[in-house]
Amino acid sequence: MGREAAEGRARSAEGRATGAEAATEHAGNSGRIPGENSAVESAEDSVDRHIARWTGKVPFDVPTEAVITRIQLLAKHVSHGKERALAETGLQAFEFETMHRLASRGAPWRAPSAELAAELLLSPAGMTGRLDTLEKSGLVRRLRAAADRRRVDVELTEEGHRRWLDAMRWRGVAEHEMIEPLDDGERAALAALLKRMLLAVETR
């Protein structure tokens, strides 16, 4: 999918948002277009069909199956959105992953090579090979640390930081498309519910 197509999707999303705002204002204080929720809730998605196909064939709790299966499918869509973002910027996943770690540190987007390798779960040889590729593409540079000449620091170049920002922007477009059907209150409520679920798993 080319950049023009993705930008067209972003413009379409903006147009839909503008239209929705106008309709919402017309609808009054409810914040929703009359009948919008009922129409969406009555529509059938792939999980409804999945549940119908398996009902009576295997024991399962329908609400649990509905929640978990939808989370799994949404996670796949998030992954596809990330892949689209990389395709738009011409980056490979390992390149973005390495640049993302560096960018998280803030300007000058620098980290010791050994520390970066540990975060990325790479061997010294694997890290060297990855940095060779990134440096050849002009996305990172390697520097000898002033305090310890044995230490090699890795730093994003201006071009590397620009490409990383571009990928992040395209990821934002994909994420906006997914969350767009929910208003601010619904997004906050969903975030709180998912946090409760995640905390229960992480604190076991």
Side-chain angles (χ1 to χ4, degrees):
M1 185 179 297
R3 181 179 295 262
E4 295 82 359
E7 289 175 342
R9 287 199 313 274
R11 288 194 296 271
S12 297
E14 291 172 0
R16 290 195 300 273
T18 301
E21 287 169 4
T24 298
E25 182 178 353
H26 178 73
N29 295 328
S30 65
R32 280 293 180 185
I33 301 169
E36 182 183 14
N37 280 343
S38 59
V40 171
E41 290 167 5
S42 64
E44 184 181 68
D45 67 5
S46 59
V47 176
D48 292 319
R49 294 188 289 274
H50 162 77
I51 289 172
R53 183 167 60 251
W54 285 101
T55 296
K57 298 173 183 174
V58 64
F60 62 87
D61 178 72
V62 171
T64 299
E65 183 73 8
V67 169
I68 298 302
T69 307
R70 286 190 174 102
I71 288 174
Q72 291 173 331
L73 291 177
L74 286 169
K76 288 183 180 179
H77 284 288
V78 170
S79 178
H80 292 161
K82 291 178 179 179
E83 291 171 3
R84 276 169 39 199
L86 292 178
E88 295 293 347
T89 53
L91 292 172
Q92 297 184 63
F94 78 86
E95 293 174 321
F96 176 83
E97 183 182 22
T98 307
M99 295 160 66
H100 195 62
R101 296 281 182 172
L102 290 170
S104 71
R105 285 163 167 78
W109 319 304
R110 182 187 301 160
S113 176
E115 183 179 303
L116 201 59
E119 289 184 15
L120 295 168
L121 303 179
L122 290 172
S123 66
M127 190 75 247
T128 298
R130 179 174 294 198
L131 293 178
D132 285 345
T133 301
L134 286 163
E135 196 166 38
K136 186 177 180 180
S137 300
L139 301 176
V140 305
R141 64 173 65 91
R142 281 177 279 199
L143 308 165
R144 289 288 176 183
D148 181 358
R149 300 296 293 173
R150 294 171 300 176
R151 193 184 84 193
V152 176
D153 287 341
V154 184
E155 181 180 279
L156 273 182
T157 62
E158 290 292 333
E159 173 64 10
H161 190 251
R162 185 193 67 77
R163 294 276 296 279
W164 171 79
L165 279 177
D166 203 22
M168 290 297 290
R169 183 170 67 87
W170 285 110
R171 285 174 67 149
V173 170
E175 290 167 0
H176 172 76
E177 290 176 347
M178 179 171 290
I179 204 75
E180 184 183 15
L182 306 181
D183 64 27
D184 289 345
E186 290 169 331
R187 294 177 194 190
L190 179 59
L193 292 170
L194 291 173
K195 180 179 180 179
R196 191 191 307 174
M197 291 174 64
L198 186 57
L199 278 173
V201 173
E202 290 181 341
T203 57
R204 282 178 184 167

Short mmCIF file of all heavy atoms in Angstrom, two decimals, residues 97-140:
data_model
loop_
_atom_site.label_atom_id
_atom_site.label_comp_id
_atom_site.label_asym_id
_atom_site.label_seq_id
_atom_site.Cartn_x
_atom_site.Cartn_y
_atom_site.Cartn_z
N GLU A 97 13.03 -1.53 15.59
CA GLU A 97 13.16 -1.94 16.98
C GLU A 97 14.41 -1.34 17.62
O GLU A 97 14.37 -0.82 18.74
CB GLU A 97 13.21 -3.47 17.06
CG GLU A 97 13.28 -4.03 18.47
CD GLU A 97 13.39 -5.54 18.46
OE1 GLU A 97 13.81 -6.13 17.44
OE2 GLU A 97 13.05 -6.14 19.50
N THR A 98 15.53 -1.38 16.90
CA THR A 98 16.78 -0.84 17.42
C THR A 98 16.70 0.68 17.55
O THR A 98 17.10 1.26 18.57
CB THR A 98 17.95 -1.22 16.50
OG1 THR A 98 17.96 -2.64 16.30
CG2 THR A 98 19.29 -0.80 17.10
N MET A 99 16.18 1.35 16.52
CA MET A 99 16.05 2.80 16.54
C MET A 99 15.08 3.26 17.63
O MET A 99 15.29 4.29 18.27
CB MET A 99 15.58 3.29 15.17
CG MET A 99 16.61 3.04 14.07
SD MET A 99 15.90 3.05 12.42
CE MET A 99 15.39 4.75 12.29
N HIS A 100 14.05 2.46 17.87
CA HIS A 100 13.05 2.79 18.88
C HIS A 100 13.69 2.80 20.27
O HIS A 100 13.39 3.65 21.12
CB HIS A 100 11.90 1.78 18.82
CG HIS A 100 10.67 2.20 19.53
ND1 HIS A 100 9.95 3.32 19.20
CD2 HIS A 100 10.01 1.64 20.59
CE1 HIS A 100 8.90 3.44 20.00
NE2 HIS A 100 8.92 2.43 20.86
N ARG A 101 14.58 1.83 20.52
CA ARG A 101 15.28 1.77 21.81
C ARG A 101 16.16 2.99 22.00
O ARG A 101 16.23 3.55 23.11
CB ARG A 101 16.12 0.50 21.87
CG ARG A 101 15.35 -0.80 21.83
CD ARG A 101 14.75 -1.12 23.18
NE ARG A 101 14.04 -2.39 23.15
CZ ARG A 101 13.54 -2.98 24.23
NH1 ARG A 101 13.71 -2.42 25.42
NH2 ARG A 101 12.89 -4.13 24.13
N LEU A 102 16.81 3.41 20.95
CA LEU A 102 17.67 4.58 21.05
C LEU A 102 16.84 5.86 21.23
O LEU A 102 17.16 6.71 22.07
CB LEU A 102 18.53 4.71 19.79
CG LEU A 102 19.63 3.64 19.63
CD1 LEU A 102 20.24 3.72 18.24
CD2 LEU A 102 20.70 3.80 20.70
N ALA A 103 15.76 5.99 20.48
CA ALA A 103 14.93 7.19 20.55
C ALA A 103 14.30 7.34 21.93
O ALA A 103 14.06 8.47 22.38
CB ALA A 103 13.85 7.13 19.48
N SER A 104 14.05 6.22 22.61
CA SER A 104 13.40 6.29 23.93
C SER A 104 14.28 6.99 24.96
O SER A 104 13.78 7.41 26.01
CB SER A 104 13.05 4.88 24.41
OG SER A 104 14.22 4.15 24.76
N ARG A 105 15.55 7.11 24.68
CA ARG A 105 16.47 7.74 25.63
C ARG A 105 16.50 9.26 25.53
O ARG A 105 17.09 9.94 26.35
CB ARG A 105 17.88 7.18 25.43
CG ARG A 105 18.01 5.77 25.98
CD ARG A 105 19.22 5.07 25.43
NE ARG A 105 19.51 3.85 26.19
CZ ARG A 105 18.88 2.69 26.06
NH1 ARG A 105 17.88 2.59 25.19
NH2 ARG A 105 19.20 1.65 26.78
N GLY A 106 15.85 9.79 24.50
CA GLY A 106 15.89 11.23 24.32
C GLY A 106 17.19 11.67 23.67
O GLY A 106 18.16 10.90 23.58
N ALA A 107 17.22 12.93 23.22
CA ALA A 107 18.42 13.45 22.56
C ALA A 107 19.62 13.32 23.51
O ALA A 107 19.49 13.58 24.70
CB ALA A 107 18.20 14.91 22.17
N PRO A 108 20.78 12.89 23.00
CA PRO A 108 21.12 12.66 21.58
C PRO A 108 20.83 11.24 21.09
O PRO A 108 21.53 10.76 20.20
CB PRO A 108 22.61 12.97 21.55
CG PRO A 108 23.10 12.49 22.89
CD PRO A 108 21.97 12.79 23.86
N TRP A 109 19.86 10.54 21.70
CA TRP A 109 19.43 9.22 21.22
C TRP A 109 20.61 8.24 21.16
O TRP A 109 20.88 7.62 20.14
CB TRP A 109 18.76 9.34 19.85
CG TRP A 109 17.87 10.52 19.72
CD1 TRP A 109 16.82 10.85 20.52
CD2 TRP A 109 17.95 11.57 18.74
NE1 TRP A 109 16.23 12.01 20.11
CE2 TRP A 109 16.91 12.49 19.01
CE3 TRP A 109 18.79 11.82 17.64
CZ2 TRP A 109 16.70 13.62 18.25
CZ3 TRP A 109 18.59 12.96 16.88
CH2 TRP A 109 17.55 13.84 17.19
N ARG A 110 21.26 8.08 22.30
CA ARG A 110 22.52 7.32 22.35
C ARG A 110 22.47 6.30 23.48
O ARG A 110 21.85 6.54 24.52
CB ARG A 110 23.68 8.27 22.58
CG ARG A 110 25.05 7.63 22.59
CD ARG A 110 26.10 8.66 22.99
NE ARG A 110 26.13 9.79 22.09
CZ ARG A 110 26.66 10.97 22.39
NH1 ARG A 110 27.19 11.18 23.58
NH2 ARG A 110 26.65 11.94 21.50
N ALA A 111 23.12 5.15 23.26
CA ALA A 111 23.22 4.12 24.30
C ALA A 111 24.46 3.29 24.06
O ALA A 111 24.91 3.13 22.91
CB ALA A 111 21.98 3.22 24.29
N PRO A 112 25.06 2.71 25.13
CA PRO A 112 26.18 1.80 24.94
C PRO A 112 25.74 0.57 24.13
O PRO A 112 24.63 0.06 24.33
CB PRO A 112 26.57 1.41 26.36
CG PRO A 112 26.04 2.51 27.22
CD PRO A 112 24.78 2.96 26.55
N SER A 113 26.59 0.11 23.27
CA SER A 113 26.27 -1.04 22.42
C SER A 113 25.91 -2.27 23.24
O SER A 113 24.96 -2.99 22.93
CB SER A 113 27.44 -1.34 21.49
OG SER A 113 27.20 -2.49 20.72
N ALA A 114 26.68 -2.53 24.30
CA ALA A 114 26.42 -3.71 25.14
C ALA A 114 25.06 -3.61 25.83
O ALA A 114 24.34 -4.61 25.95
CB ALA A 114 27.53 -3.86 26.18
N GLU A 115 24.70 -2.41 26.27
CA GLU A 115 23.40 -2.21 26.93
C GLU A 115 22.27 -2.42 25.94
O GLU A 115 21.24 -3.04 26.25
CB GLU A 115 23.36 -0.79 27.48
CG GLU A 115 22.10 -0.43 28.26
CD GLU A 115 22.15 0.98 28.78
OE1 GLU A 115 23.11 1.30 29.53
OE2 GLU A 115 21.25 1.79 28.45
N LEU A 116 22.46 -1.93 24.72
CA LEU A 116 21.45 -2.09 23.67
C LEU A 116 21.28 -3.56 23.32
O LEU A 116 20.15 -4.05 23.14
CB LEU A 116 21.88 -1.28 22.45
CG LEU A 116 20.81 -0.90 21.43
CD1 LEU A 116 19.71 -0.09 22.07
CD2 LEU A 116 21.47 -0.13 20.28
N ALA A 117 22.38 -4.29 23.23
CA ALA A 117 22.33 -5.71 22.91
C ALA A 117 21.57 -6.48 23.98
O ALA A 117 20.78 -7.39 23.68
CB ALA A 117 23.74 -6.27 22.77
N ALA A 118 21.78 -6.13 25.26
CA ALA A 118 21.07 -6.81 26.35
C ALA A 118 19.58 -6.55 26.27
O ALA A 118 18.77 -7.46 26.47
CB ALA A 118 21.62 -6.32 27.70
N GLU A 119 19.18 -5.32 25.95
CA GLU A 119 17.76 -4.99 25.84
C GLU A 119 17.11 -5.73 24.68
O GLU A 119 15.95 -6.14 24.77
CB GLU A 119 17.58 -3.49 25.64
CG GLU A 119 17.89 -2.65 26.86
CD GLU A 119 17.62 -1.18 26.64
OE1 GLU A 119 16.94 -0.85 25.64
OE2 GLU A 119 18.09 -0.36 27.45
N LEU A 120 17.85 -5.89 23.60
CA LEU A 120 17.31 -6.54 22.41
C LEU A 120 17.53 -8.06 22.41
O LEU A 120 17.14 -8.74 21.46
CB LEU A 120 17.96 -5.94 21.16
CG LEU A 120 17.65 -4.45 20.91
CD1 LEU A 120 18.57 -3.89 19.84
CD2 LEU A 120 16.19 -4.28 20.51
N LEU A 121 18.13 -8.57 23.49
CA LEU A 121 18.41 -10.01 23.64
C LEU A 121 19.25 -10.52 22.48
O LEU A 121 18.97 -11.58 21.90
CB LEU A 121 17.09 -10.79 23.74
CG LEU A 121 16.14 -10.37 24.88
CD1 LEU A 121 14.87 -11.22 24.84
CD2 LEU A 121 16.82 -10.48 26.24
N LEU A 122 20.30 -9.77 22.15
CA LEU A 122 21.20 -10.14 21.07
C LEU A 122 22.58 -10.47 21.61
O LEU A 122 23.04 -9.88 22.59
CB LEU A 122 21.32 -8.99 20.06
CG LEU A 122 20.09 -8.68 19.21
CD1 LEU A 122 20.33 -7.39 18.42
CD2 LEU A 122 19.78 -9.82 18.26
N SER A 123 23.25 -11.39 20.95
CA SER A 123 24.64 -11.69 21.27
C SER A 123 25.51 -10.54 20.75
O SER A 123 25.06 -9.75 19.90
CB SER A 123 25.07 -12.99 20.60
OG SER A 123 25.07 -12.82 19.19
N PRO A 124 26.76 -10.42 21.24
CA PRO A 124 27.66 -9.38 20.71
C PRO A 124 27.80 -9.45 19.19
O PRO A 124 27.78 -8.43 18.51
CB PRO A 124 28.98 -9.66 21.42
CG PRO A 124 28.57 -10.29 22.72
CD PRO A 124 27.37 -11.14 22.38
N ALA A 125 27.90 -10.68 18.66
CA ALA A 125 28.03 -10.83 17.21
C ALA A 125 26.76 -10.40 16.50
O ALA A 125 26.80 -9.74 15.45
CB ALA A 125 28.37 -12.28 16.86
N GLY A 126 25.61 -10.77 17.07
CA GLY A 126 24.34 -10.37 16.48
C GLY A 126 24.16 -8.87 16.50
O GLY A 126 23.64 -8.27 15.53
N MET A 127 24.57 -8.23 17.59
CA MET A 127 24.48 -6.78 17.69
C MET A 127 25.38 -6.10 16.67
O MET A 127 24.99 -5.13 16.02
CB MET A 127 24.87 -6.34 19.11
CG MET A 127 24.59 -4.87 19.41
SD MET A 127 22.83 -4.54 19.68
CE MET A 127 22.45 -3.54 18.25
N THR A 128 26.58 -6.63 16.51
CA THR A 128 27.51 -6.06 15.54
C THR A 128 26.95 -6.13 14.13
O THR A 128 27.00 -5.16 13.37
CB THR A 128 28.87 -6.80 15.59
OG1 THR A 128 29.44 -6.62 16.89
CG2 THR A 128 29.82 -6.27 14.53
N GLY A 129 26.39 -7.28 13.77
CA GLY A 129 25.81 -7.43 12.44
C GLY A 129 24.66 -6.46 12.21
O GLY A 129 24.53 -5.87 11.13
N ARG A 130 23.82 -6.29 13.23
CA ARG A 130 22.69 -5.37 13.11
C ARG A 130 23.17 -3.93 12.95
O ARG A 130 22.66 -3.17 12.11
CB ARG A 130 21.78 -5.49 14.32
CG ARG A 130 20.58 -4.56 14.29
CD ARG A 130 19.61 -4.81 15.43
NE ARG A 130 18.96 -6.11 15.34
CZ ARG A 130 17.85 -6.43 15.99
NH1 ARG A 130 17.27 -5.54 16.80
NH2 ARG A 130 17.31 -7.62 15.86
N LEU A 131 24.16 -3.55 13.74
CA LEU A 131 24.66 -2.18 13.67
C LEU A 131 25.39 -1.92 12.36
O LEU A 131 25.34 -0.80 11.84
CB LEU A 131 25.58 -1.90 14.86
CG LEU A 131 24.90 -1.88 16.23
CD1 LEU A 131 25.92 -1.64 17.33
CD2 LEU A 131 23.80 -0.82 16.28
N ASP A 132 26.04 -2.94 11.83
CA ASP A 132 26.69 -2.79 10.52
C ASP A 132 25.66 -2.39 9.47
O ASP A 132 25.89 -1.49 8.66
CB ASP A 132 27.38 -4.10 10.09
CG ASP A 132 28.66 -4.37 10.86
OD1 ASP A 132 29.18 -3.43 11.50
OD2 ASP A 132 29.14 -5.52 10.82
N THR A 133 24.51 -3.07 9.49
CA THR A 133 23.45 -2.78 8.52
C THR A 133 22.89 -1.38 8.71
O THR A 133 22.70 -0.62 7.75
CB THR A 133 22.32 -3.82 8.65
OG1 THR A 133 22.85 -5.13 8.42
CG2 THR A 133 21.21 -3.55 7.65
N LEU A 134 22.61 -1.02 9.96
CA LEU A 134 22.03 0.29 10.26
C LEU A 134 23.01 1.42 9.93
O LEU A 134 22.61 2.47 9.41
CB LEU A 134 21.62 0.36 11.73
CG LEU A 134 20.38 -0.43 12.11
CD1 LEU A 134 20.31 -0.64 13.62
CD2 LEU A 134 19.12 0.28 11.62
N GLU A 135 24.28 1.20 10.23
CA GLU A 135 25.27 2.24 9.96
C GLU A 135 25.47 2.42 8.46
O GLU A 135 25.61 3.55 7.96
CB GLU A 135 26.59 1.88 10.64
CG GLU A 135 27.56 3.04 10.74
CD GLU A 135 28.70 2.74 11.71
OE1 GLU A 135 29.18 1.59 11.72
OE2 GLU A 135 29.11 3.67 12.43
N LYS A 136 25.46 1.32 7.74
CA LYS A 136 25.60 1.39 6.28
C LYS A 136 24.45 2.16 5.66
O LYS A 136 24.64 2.86 4.64
CB LYS A 136 25.66 -0.03 5.70
CG LYS A 136 25.95 -0.08 4.21
CD LYS A 136 26.07 -1.51 3.72
CE LYS A 136 26.35 -1.55 2.22
NZ LYS A 136 26.48 -2.96 1.74
N SER A 137 23.26 2.08 6.27
CA SER A 137 22.09 2.80 5.77
C SER A 137 22.04 4.25 6.24
O SER A 137 21.12 4.99 5.89
CB SER A 137 20.81 2.09 6.22
OG SER A 137 20.75 0.77 5.72
N GLY A 138 23.01 4.64 7.07
CA GLY A 138 23.06 6.02 7.56
C GLY A 138 22.06 6.31 8.66
O GLY A 138 21.75 7.48 8.92
N LEU A 139 21.58 5.27 9.35
CA LEU A 139 20.56 5.45 10.39
C LEU A 139 21.16 5.58 11.78
O LEU A 139 20.54 6.18 12.67
CB LEU A 139 19.57 4.29 10.34
CG LEU A 139 18.84 4.11 9.01
CD1 LEU A 139 17.94 2.87 9.05
CD2 LEU A 139 18.02 5.34 8.66
N VAL A 140 22.32 4.99 12.00
CA VAL A 140 23.02 5.11 13.29
C VAL A 140 24.50 5.36 13.03
O VAL A 140 25.00 5.15 11.92
CB VAL A 140 22.86 3.86 14.18
CG1 VAL A 140 21.40 3.51 14.39
CG2 VAL A 140 23.63 2.67 13.60
#
